[in-house]
Amino acid sequence: MEFDFDLLVIGAGSGGVRAARMSASMGARVAVVESRYLGGTCVNVGCVPKKLFVYASEYQEHFKDSAGYGYTVDSKPQFDWVKLRDNKTTEIERLNGVYQRMLESAGVQIIDGHAEFETAHQVKIGDKSYTAKNILIASGSWPFKPSVPGSEHVMTSNEFFYMDKFPKHAIVIGGGYIAVEFAGILNGLGCETHQVYRGEPVLRGFDQQVRDFVSEELASSGINLHYNSTIDAIEKLDNGQLKATYNDGTTVVTDAIICALGRKPLVDPMKIENAGLTKGHHGEISVNEHYQTSVSHIFAVGDVIGRVQLTPVALAEGMYVAHHLFSDKAPRKVGYDLIPTAVFCQPNLGTVGITEEQAAVKFNKVAVFDSAFRPMKNTLSGNPQRMLMKLLVDTETDKVIGCHMAGHDAGEIIQGIGVALQAGATKNDFDNTIGIHPTAAEEFVTMREPSRFVGLAVS
């Protein structure tokens, strides 16, 4: 059978674009289908605009801190939400153009529209049908809202970055990394911010000590944390405000409610059943080690497979598929054990490797090194925000198996340490490394005595 394309990619997000570009560079005939925006969630309503807003939200603290360094701010700095929002949008549109040029220069055909499977080799886009020898599903994920009365009045990350008016009072629902980032942005920009989470503390799945530390710092920064709470109903008032009813019956009137409860794989609109595919228990598309689905010529990467919802992971998965299909060289396997991760809350959180709780049930004896302190920058300013640094070391091998940090530029520092852990660095390697002074990062190479031991062999 003669196909229109060697590879048809559904979704022009991080994983899809990488797979399309690399495959085309290897001589494949490639098309990518996108119904919304080039660059996917990360570029348009995720990582990139989020980080820009985080930068903006930090300036209020910078203005305040500058007094301790001799600066006089004659008047209260004025924040213009519309200017920030529109400047952000201009930058996103620039990046959309960059993605378009990258794809076109690689020889990838861009098809604007929504893809629906007609058969395992044929996809309908608008009023046209296309065939492909191989198909890659990289459709990403979609934020979901709580199933409560009035949920249609709640915004998600899709709307957050384009708000018409900046709220004076807002509620963020959720306790994950998106929720704490949004709460930090709102709080830093001057909004009275309330974060509602059904558990305690925030950031479930991260190291417990880090969770406790970050929660304390968030509260100290002015974010109102409401633990063991849910919103059971939402009503829109005549003046445009929202009335939220909590699970204990109390009510509060607010300007905006932002839902950050997570994202679900975006699968249903594609009619995958026409290709012989089915969804997994959590709505994901199941794949093997080569990212093949149950139909051998259909592949899937990124958020839609329900593994790790991170842009760099999707990029690596997309690269794997391209090499698996069109390269003579064996593709580089994607490792999921040592993925450096950052949460851009305030203070930032960075982590690589396992948590103390995971180490305690996996290793016989693990040495825990930790240090909490106020960084030098905050001494003259009087800023009370602290930093936490933590290393986990397997005493049998001396290998560093986990590294966690909460503090300014945590992501920048942990990225470098991620390389060290990937290379199998030991505590002795850390101890033999000369620190850069004066920096916060040098704390990682100067912690000498463990604060405690945990593990299967520790009573």
Side-chain angles (χ1 to χ4, degrees):
M1 180 178 177
E2 183 64 29
F3 297 100
D4 295 324
F5 303 103
D6 298 316
L7 176 65
L8 179 70
V9 180
I10 301 175
S14 302
V17 168
R18 177 61 60 87
R21 288 178 55 222
M22 293 301 104
S23 297
S25 72
M26 298 174 200
R29 295 171 301 151
V30 182
V32 62
V33 186
E34 179 54 60
S35 62
R36 277 179 290 273
Y37 28 57
L38 297 178
T41 297
C42 177
V43 169
N44 294 276
V45 289
C47 327
V48 174
K50 178 268 303 289
K51 190 69 179 293
L52 292 173
F53 281 9
V54 167
Y55 284 141
S57 69
E58 293 174 339
Y59 275 94
Q60 288 284 5
E61 185 177 83
H62 295 334
F63 291 136
K64 184 178 179 181
D65 288 351
S66 68
Y69 285 90
Y71 286 88
T72 300
V73 180
D74 294 328
S75 61
K76 182 180 179 181
Q78 300 300 306
F79 169 63
D80 186 337
W81 163 253
V82 173
K83 187 172 185 178
L84 170 63
R85 182 199 65 198
D86 293 351
N87 284 348
K88 174 272 305 176
T89 300
T90 298
E91 171 61 10
I92 299 309
E93 290 172 348
R94 184 188 73 82
L95 292 174
N96 295 149
V98 170
Y99 271 75
Q100 180 176 344
R101 290 190 293 274
M102 286 194 303
L103 288 167
E104 290 176 342
S105 65
V108 177
Q109 181 177 340
I110 302 172
I111 304 174
D112 183 21
H114 170 69
E116 294 180 357
F117 280 96
E118 294 183 304
T119 70
H121 280 288
Q122 185 166 301
V123 172
K124 183 179 180 181
I125 305 162
D127 57 358
K128 291 186 178 181
S129 294
Y130 300 87
T131 60
K133 183 177 181 180
N134 300 284
I135 297 174
L136 173 63
I137 300 173
S139 52
S141 57
W142 199 253
F144 64 90
K145 297 180 180 180
S147 299
V148 299
S151 62
E152 67 271 16
H153 304 304
V154 170
M155 72 175 75
T156 67
S157 54
N158 289 345
E159 299 82 31
F160 177 79
F161 298 107
Y162 295 91
M163 290 187 294
D164 292 332
K165 184 180 179 181
F166 189 74
K168 294 181 179 179
H169 183 290
I171 298 172
V172 178
I173 306 174
Y177 72 93
I178 297 174
V180 296
E181 289 172 341
F182 281 5
I185 290 169
L186 291 164
N187 181 61
L189 294 177
C191 172
E192 181 182 333
T193 305
H194 296 257
Q195 185 172 350
V196 178
Y197 178 44
R198 64 182 180 180
E200 182 180 0
V202 295
L203 296 170
R204 181 169 62 89
F206 287 83
D207 184 275
Q208 184 65 43
Q209 183 182 6
V210 174
R211 294 176 67 193
D212 292 336
F213 183 88
V214 170
S215 296
E216 291 175 8
E217 293 299 311
L218 294 179
S220 296
S221 73
I223 296 173
N224 299 280
L225 298 171
H226 302 265
Y227 289 135
N228 304 305
S229 297
T230 59
I231 291 179
D232 290 350
I234 300 161
E235 177 187 352
K236 188 166 186 177
L237 305 178
D238 291 340
N239 64 0
Q241 289 185 298
L242 303 175
K243 184 171 78 171
T245 302
Y246 288 92
N247 55 321
D248 63 0
T250 60
T251 62
V252 64
V253 175
T254 185
D255 297 323
I257 300 176
I258 301 96
C259 178
L261 290 173
R263 304 175 65 88
K264 291 183 178 180
L266 186 58
V267 176
D268 290 340
M270 291 181 289
K271 298 182 179 179
I272 63 171
E273 63 275 8
N274 292 340
L277 295 173
T278 57
K279 294 188 295 183
H281 294 302
H282 301 288
E284 80 284 1
I285 295 177
S286 298
V287 296
N288 63 15
E289 69 274 18
H290 301 301
Y291 305 100
Q292 283 176 301
T293 67
S294 56
V295 179
S296 62
H297 66 273
I298 301 179
F299 297 75
V301 298
D303 288 5
V304 77
I305 66 175
R307 292 187 180 178
V308 180
Q309 292 185 342
L310 292 172
T311 294
V313 173
L315 291 170
E317 293 169 346
M319 181 74 83
Y320 183 100
V321 170
H323 282 273
H324 176 74
L325 289 174
F326 304 112
S327 174
D328 294 332
K329 298 179 181 179
R332 179 179 297 162
K333 186 176 180 181
V334 181
Y336 296 94
D337 292 333
L338 289 172
I339 298 175
T341 304
V343 181
F344 296 102
C345 50
Q346 297 169 36
N348 295 173
L349 187 162
T351 178
V352 60
I354 64 176
T355 67
E356 180 178 341
E357 293 69 43
Q358 292 169 331
V361 296
K362 186 175 181 180
F363 293 88
N364 285 328
K365 188 177 182 181
V366 173
V368 180
F369 298 81
D370 56 19
S371 177
F373 56 95
R374 190 165 67 158
M376 175 184 283
K377 184 180 179 181
N378 290 351
T379 55
L380 295 188
S381 68
N383 189 326
Q385 191 177 91
R386 300 171 300 147
M387 302 184 87
L388 171 67
M389 296 187 174
K390 181 174 183 177
L391 289 176
L392 302 172
V393 180
D394 174 19
T395 59
E396 293 182 2
T397 63
D398 198 42
K399 274 192 175 182
V400 179
I401 56 175
C403 179
H404 309 276
M405 173 183 172
H408 189 64
D409 284 337
E412 306 289 346
I413 294 172
I414 292 296
Q415 178 66 83
I417 290 181
V419 177
L421 266 62
Q422 194 69 243
T426 64
K427 183 61 169 65
N428 190 55
D429 293 326
F430 274 67
D431 292 343
N432 287 335
T433 300
I434 302 298
I436 300 174
H437 185 74
T439 64
E442 68 180 310
E443 196 74 15
F444 279 123
V445 298
T446 57
M447 291 188 283
R448 294 289 184 259
E449 296 296 327
S451 59
R452 60 189 172 279
F453 293 92
V454 297
L456 298 170
V458 179
S459 57

